[in-house]
Amino acid sequence: MSNAPDSDVLIVGGGLSGLPLALACAQGGLSVTVIDALDPATVTDAAFDGRVSAIALASCRMLDSLGVTAHLEGQMQPINDIMVSDGRVREGASPLFLHFDHKEIGAEPLGNLIENRHVRIAMQKAVEAEPLIRLIAPRFVKHVEYGARVTATLDNGEEVTARLCFAADGRNSPTREAAGIRTVGWDYGQTGIVCTVEHELPHEGVAQEYFLPGGPFAILPMVGNRSSLVWTEKTADAKAILALGDEAFADEMRARFGDYLGACAPTGPRWSYPLTLQLARDYVRPRLALIGDAAHGIHPIAGQGLNLGLRDVAAAAEVVVDAARLGLDIGALDVLERYQRWRRFDNVALSLLMDGLNRLFSNDIGPVRLARDLGLGIVQQIGPARRFFMRHAGGVVGDLPRLLKDETV
């Protein structure tokens, strides 16, 4: 009887980090088993998740290399410009603002806005076409043992073995908790309201980040004359807004949205999400590594959450594939620590930067408002600084894994 594991890599969680990691590992010649607690049909239903993701330029290149964008025809809205401004409800925006124009750094857009459910559908189709990937869903992982290999016991009693386990099972990761990896973080006392708005005029691919005292009010362009709102309020205020009837809710939305896109109205359901910061103290254990939200959950103020997860995916796949090509044990701690060194500083630094920006802008203190408005105006006048921020937002600066440089793993 063979002692070979069922696959090289086991991924617990088949979401927006788990599936691209499976594709990247398979592209590098590794066999992969993905176990997800949710039915694939559930997570792609329109009622499951109303959010859109701002997928940065480097992340788009990676998804293209993994064969995902081939299934996204007609669903990708280019981000041509980003407008950042500060203001108050019903008083309008400050005359000082920051404008990011993609033409300053090249012909390609800064990224693309894509509905999360369409990203999931495309990833599932790419996974179905990959013979080295086995997807088991819906199934729960009841227990994982780490020794000479990984052994995961599922809720139906089935055992799955691998050389390495990746936890991609979200902020409340049971896999991380069972491994004894602790987290640090805090609750912002804010809630993100998400809904879709239909408007009369075209948005021209311009994303708006409008800072209000209760939190950022992001207007994200979608395909067609639609935009997605990520509307942050203090939690008590958000509960009151969510409890409003349709017309009263629309009036509150319009008071912040303005009329620059003509007549507008929310359409479809509303969603809400508590906003917290959460960082894992460690990313790795022998035969275990955390990726995506299992490793870090940040404020959505600049839409970088998914991009951080995709950077984890690109780095983790490169580390593991390179180790396998050298004949090394891909689950050994010294191999996985290279991934941890590569990703932890970037994740922590960006998480704390987003935390600082939220604290700076989510208040109505007069001197602070004046200082931040002046800061926006000054950066607007300094071309090199503005272009650096655009490249950083596009994910094309720093020590990039091959997948983020439009190369294969």
Side-chain angles (χ1 to χ4, degrees):
M1 183 176 178
S2 172
N3 288 321
D6 299 320
S7 57
D8 296 310
V9 175
L10 167 66
I11 301 173
V12 182
L16 297 177
S17 295
L19 292 185
L21 178 61
L23 289 165
C25 289
Q27 186 183 85
L30 300 177
S31 57
V32 184
T33 300
V34 181
I35 302 170
D36 194 71
L38 297 175
D39 190 316
T42 298
V43 299
T44 55
D45 187 86
F48 179 76
D49 182 359
R51 291 172 292 184
V52 303
S53 288
I55 300 181
L57 173 59
S59 299
C60 290
R61 291 172 178 170
M62 170 181 160
L63 294 181
D64 190 50
S65 177
L66 296 178
V68 174
T69 53
H71 304 290
L72 283 168
E73 185 176 354
Q75 302 299 337
M76 301 172 66
Q77 170 58 53
I79 306 171
N80 295 322
D81 297 68
I82 301 173
M83 297 290 295
V84 183
S85 58
D86 186 22
R88 290 190 178 106
V89 179
R90 295 182 174 86
E91 291 186 14
S94 163
L96 299 173
F97 60 89
L98 181 56
H99 177 205
F100 295 136
D101 182 345
H102 78 286
K103 293 190 291 293
E104 283 195 63
I105 59 173
E108 293 182 280
L110 299 170
N112 285 277
L113 267 301
I114 312 173
E115 293 178 62
N116 282 3
R117 70 186 187 96
H118 290 302
V119 178
R120 290 189 176 96
I121 290 169
M123 287 179 176
Q124 288 177 10
K125 288 180 177 178
V127 164
E128 288 170 3
E130 176 50 68
L132 286 175
I133 301 175
R134 177 192 180 200
L135 174 62
I136 303 174
R139 278 286 173 258
F140 288 95
V141 175
K142 292 182 65 177
H143 179 67
V144 184
E145 291 185 2
Y146 306 95
R149 62 183 182 178
V150 177
T151 303
T153 304
L154 310 188
D155 57 341
N156 64 348
E158 181 183 355
E159 288 189 347
V160 178
T161 60
R163 300 162 65 193
L164 166 64
C165 175
F166 281 104
D169 46 352
R171 287 198 185 203
N172 299 318
S173 169
T175 310
R176 181 193 66 222
E177 295 298 317
I181 299 177
R182 300 176 63 186
T183 63
V184 296
W186 44 83
D187 190 323
Y188 286 110
Q190 294 175 315
T191 294
I193 301 169
V194 175
C195 66
T196 299
V197 175
E198 293 182 345
H199 38 77
E200 180 181 13
L201 302 176
H203 47 57
E204 306 293 351
V206 179
Q208 301 273 353
E209 189 77 47
Y210 185 28
F211 289 106
L212 296 168
F217 185 84
I219 303 172
L220 307 176
M222 299 171 67
V223 173
N225 281 14
R226 300 182 302 150
S227 293
S228 174
L229 296 189
V230 183
W231 172 1
T232 303
E233 293 283 353
K234 294 179 176 61
T235 295
D237 294 337
K239 288 180 179 178
I241 290 169
L242 287 164
L244 295 173
D246 290 345
E247 282 304 314
F249 179 84
D251 288 341
E252 286 294 327
M253 181 276 297
R254 293 187 189 103
R256 295 157 176 79
F257 197 102
D259 59 2
Y260 77 104
L261 291 178
C264 61
T267 181
R270 314 166 197 169
W271 291 266
S272 65
Y273 304 90
L275 303 183
T276 63
L277 174 71
Q278 180 176 282
L279 300 171
R281 291 182 179 271
D282 297 294
Y283 285 12
V284 299
R285 290 282 192 270
R287 305 212 175 279
L288 172 66
L290 312 182
I291 65 162
D293 286 353
H296 45 78
I298 71 171
H299 197 286
I301 192 168
Q304 289 298 310
L306 178 57
N307 292 298
L308 280 184
L310 293 176
R311 282 181 235 169
D312 290 349
V313 166
E318 185 167 319
V319 166
V320 170
V321 168
D322 284 354
R325 288 168 177 165
L326 292 171
L328 303 176
D329 180 356
I330 64 172
L333 187 59
D334 59 343
V335 169
L336 299 178
E337 282 178 338
R338 182 190 166 210
Y339 159 67
Q340 178 170 261
R341 289 192 302 270
W342 198 349
R343 291 301 309 142
R344 186 158 62 176
F345 178 80
D346 180 39
N347 288 334
V348 171
L350 190 60
S351 299
L352 295 179
L353 175 61
M354 296 303 102
D355 177 80
L357 286 174
N358 182 55
R359 294 177 188 276
L360 174 65
F361 282 94
S362 296
N363 65 74
D364 202 26
I365 302 169
V368 176
R369 290 194 71 222
L370 176 61
R372 67 199 184 204
D373 288 354
L374 288 173
L376 290 176
I378 290 170
V379 174
Q380 174 64 24
Q381 299 303 315
I382 302 174
R386 193 172 60 249
R387 288 186 285 274
F388 171 78
F389 287 130
M390 279 191 279
R391 292 189 180 95
H392 200 282
V396 294
V397 297
D399 182 13
L400 298 180
R402 290 188 291 268
L403 277 172
L404 296 179
K405 294 188 289 187
D406 210 15
E407 302 173 13
T408 61
V409 69

